[in-house]
Amino acid sequence: MPPPSIPMPSGPTAIRATRLIFLLSGIAMSAWAPMVPYAKTRLGLDDAQLGLLLLAFGGGSMVSMPFVGWLSHRFGNRRVIVTCGLLLSLALPALATASHVITLLVALLYFGVMLGAVDVAMNAHAVEVERMERRVLMSGFHGLFSVGGLAGAAGMSAMLALGVPLMASSVVVTALIVVIVLTQRSGLLPGVARDDVKDSVFRVPGLLVILLGMLCFVSFLAEGSMLDWSAVFLRDFRGFTAAGAGIGYACFSVAMAAGRLTGDQVVQRIGPEWAVRGGALLAATGFLLAAGIAWPGASLFGFVLIGLGASNIVPVMFSAAGHMPGASPAISIATVTTLGYAGLLSGPALIGFISHGSSLPMALGTVSGMLMLVAGAARIVRPRQEKTA
């Protein structure tokens, strides 16, 4: 039962609050990107040193996610979102002022832990809202995360370009995070542990949850390959200048945001299985088009197809994990998210390894083949009968 001071929110109120928390998460994560060059210069880091330090962010998220899944199941998603959201707000100022490598390392670990905690809890909360409303909502929620990602990076970059000091810019984003958390707290569902599931953090997840996580691994790997390799590919193989090569990732990002914002209607119309199968095949086609046709326009169109195709794969899989019969949504989503983040972290290195042994177009073609495997395994997201307490 929710605390007496916070009544149970209505469906529309819970939907709005969930959307804003996803927006918050996207803003917080992407606001760090424009700060990276400042940290590199301030500490005198070379590329290798910076790369190793940046692993702390993803590592912190991965380490915390299984435990946070148990916390969300045990104490409710609202408490985790509010507590970790407020703690998350402290991370950006810490990153803006870190004056030593160890300080930056600790700040990145802290940032990763808190952002990972919000990530797991907000997705578990989204499943609760879907269950309450009895309709598909997950893709739209993730669409707001994508919008937040674009807004956070653009907003922080704009402030810095206008001459606003780095610390002051980070405080502006921090204040926004705090305002969103505090104003939306009453709109979040309390989240009560269900009687039909065990709440042990040490419980081994079911085989279906593990398989969902492996498919998310591939989808996150595809997204990571766009983030880290699209600009390099366009510069080295399609004749783009270094300054203009970023347009590839922009095409991908805008297409993904558009696909997610319209994704709920798509999933409702064709079903989750075909949303994953069709999306994976579309993204695979995009990789083949970009890698196989030596024309810049074809590559950019391929990146658009990748964004549209991949847009709803992860939301549908998170929703499927959260609705697994007899399993805690929070713990299942924590498992799937952890495996997905493993793909996001290891994907760029895997692409680099394959590229070193052959070529970057061949490596991107390999991602296409992996996405075809996702399409073949799409049956796993078929709705299953949930047990009720």
Side-chain angles (χ1 to χ4, degrees):
M1 295 294 291
S5 58
I6 306 178
M8 176 68 76
S10 64
T13 300
I15 291 172
R16 183 188 66 243
T18 309
R19 286 173 176 164
L20 287 173
I21 294 300
F22 271 79
L23 182 75
L24 173 157
S25 182
I27 290 172
M29 184 177 73
S30 63
W32 160 239
M35 299 169 63
V36 174
Y38 290 83
K40 181 181 180 183
T41 301
R42 185 169 64 248
L43 300 180
L45 304 173
D46 60 32
D47 290 345
Q49 292 170 327
L50 178 63
L52 288 174
L53 279 172
L54 291 176
L55 287 176
F57 168 64
S61 295
M62 286 185 61
V63 169
S64 69
M65 282 175 176
F67 182 64
V68 171
W70 176 80
L71 286 177
S72 287
H73 172 73
R74 183 69 178 83
F75 298 106
N77 296 308
R78 177 195 283 165
R79 291 184 181 180
V80 175
I81 291 171
V82 172
T83 301
C84 295
L86 292 175
L87 292 174
L88 171 65
S89 69
L90 304 176
L92 290 175
L95 291 168
T97 56
S99 57
H100 191 276
V101 171
I102 298 300
T103 308
L104 181 61
L105 176 66
V106 172
L108 282 169
L109 282 169
Y110 176 83
F111 187 38
V113 168
M114 293 305 158
L115 195 61
V118 173
D119 195 322
V120 169
M122 74 184 187
N123 277 287
H125 184 269
V127 170
E128 289 186 49
V129 176
E130 282 191 322
R131 185 178 287 116
M132 180 178 72
E133 290 292 290
R134 299 182 181 277
R135 59 191 174 104
V136 176
L137 294 165
M138 187 67 81
S139 290
F141 292 146
H142 280 256
L144 266 294
F145 175 85
S146 297
V147 171
L150 295 172
M156 178 65 79
S157 297
M159 286 189 288
L160 294 173
L162 290 172
V164 180
L166 181 62
M167 181 61 180
S169 298
S170 69
V171 169
V172 170
V173 179
T174 292
L176 179 61
I177 292 171
V178 171
V179 168
I180 291 176
V181 171
L182 294 181
T183 58
Q184 300 308 309
R185 176 173 178 260
S186 61
L188 299 172
L189 302 176
V192 180
R194 290 158 55 191
D195 294 335
D196 62 319
V197 300
K198 298 178 180 179
D199 61 355
S200 173
V201 71
F202 301 108
R203 185 187 181 201
V204 178
L207 180 60
L208 289 178
V209 174
I210 297 294
L211 181 55
L212 277 171
M214 295 307 298
L215 297 180
C216 276
F217 176 96
V218 174
S219 185
F220 273 98
L221 184 152
E223 294 181 29
S225 69
M226 286 291 96
L227 175 64
D228 291 279
W229 289 103
S230 60
V232 175
F233 173 77
L234 291 179
R235 183 194 64 193
D236 293 350
F237 293 92
R238 295 296 181 260
F240 283 71
T241 64
I247 191 174
Y249 186 70
C251 289
F252 165 80
S253 299
V254 172
M256 172 164 279
R260 285 180 168 173
L261 290 173
T262 58
D264 292 334
Q265 291 83 358
V266 173
V267 176
Q268 195 73 44
R269 181 177 294 273
I270 67 176
E273 179 181 351
W274 276 102
V276 170
R277 178 170 289 121
L281 290 175
L282 187 63
T285 301
F287 273 104
L288 288 177
L289 188 64
I293 299 180
W295 177 51
S299 295
L300 294 181
F301 183 61
F303 291 165
V304 170
L305 294 183
I306 294 168
L308 289 173
S311 59
N312 295 306
I313 296 176
V314 168
V316 169
M317 289 185 178
F318 278 10
S319 183
H323 288 89
M324 282 288 175
S328 161
I331 294 176
S332 295
I333 288 173
T335 302
V336 171
T337 306
T338 301
L339 290 171
Y341 266 61
L344 191 65
L345 290 174
S346 64
L350 178 62
I351 296 297
F353 178 78
I354 298 173
S355 176
H356 180 73
S358 54
S359 67
L360 185 52
M362 183 65 70
L364 296 180
T366 301
V367 179
S368 176
M370 297 173 72
L371 285 166
M372 290 180 184
L373 294 177
V374 173
R379 293 183 59 181
I380 192 174
V381 299
R382 286 181 178 177
R384 289 171 169 80
Q385 186 65 41
E386 290 187 85
K387 297 178 183 179
T388 56

